[in-house]
């Protein structure tokens, strides 16, 4: 969404595997591709969060990715933001908390649906 000059973007994806083991393998492979983040306790069976800053043409963007395994499901949340007026990115903590909040809501919706 765009509020004034503040931009935020959220993407949530769900992948349902044939087994818990398959989802665990996929989670471990994708987590290995990330660096600089850390575990998110109390979210799904396993969760990992990482936040990165990029700068392109003087415009900073901060992106948080939360990867969650819940039984046979893999949930990936990507949340990023920027300020087009100041050309600066939101604080790491703001993006990380937003991504984790969205991941918790996504996992709760998945558990309520009984899909996992």
């Amino acid at each position: 969404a765009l509020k004034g000059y503040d931009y935020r973007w959220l993407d949530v994806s769900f992948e349902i595997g044939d087994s818990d083991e398959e989802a665990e393998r996929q989670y471990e492979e994708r987590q290995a591709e990330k660096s600089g983040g850390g575990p998110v306790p109390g979210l799904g069976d396993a969760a990992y969060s990482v936040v990165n800053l990029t700068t392109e043409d003087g415009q900073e963007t901060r992106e948080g990715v939360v990867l969650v395994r819940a039984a046979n499901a893999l949930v990936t949340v990507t949340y990023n933001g920027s300020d087009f007026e100041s050309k600066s990115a939101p604080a790491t903590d703001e993006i990380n908390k937003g991504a984790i909040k969205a991941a918790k809501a996504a996992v709760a919706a998945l558990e309520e649906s009984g899909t996992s």
Side-chain angles (χ1 to χ4, degrees), residues 50-103:
V50 63
V51 177
N52 290 305
L53 176 69
T54 58
T55 304
E56 185 175 324
D57 296 330
Q59 178 71 53
E60 292 182 344
T61 302
R62 195 169 312 272
E63 177 178 88
V65 176
V66 178
L67 180 63
V68 183
R69 184 183 70 80
N72 66 326
L74 195 61
V75 179
T76 305
V77 171
T78 304
Y79 179 62
N80 67 36
S82 192
D83 182 320
F84 293 130
E85 186 173 39
S86 69
K87 295 199 175 286
S88 64
T92 298
D93 192 50
E94 178 184 340
I95 293 296
N96 194 43
K97 284 181 178 179
I100 291 170
K101 181 179 179 181

Side-chain angles (χ1 to χ4, degrees), residues 28-39 48-53 63-65 67:
E28 289 172 2
E29 285 177 9
R30 295 203 185 148
Q31 182 189 354
E33 296 170 357
K34 308 286 183 200
S35 64
Y48 183 83
S49 174
V50 63
V51 177
N52 290 305
L53 176 69
E63 177 178 88
V65 176
L67 180 63

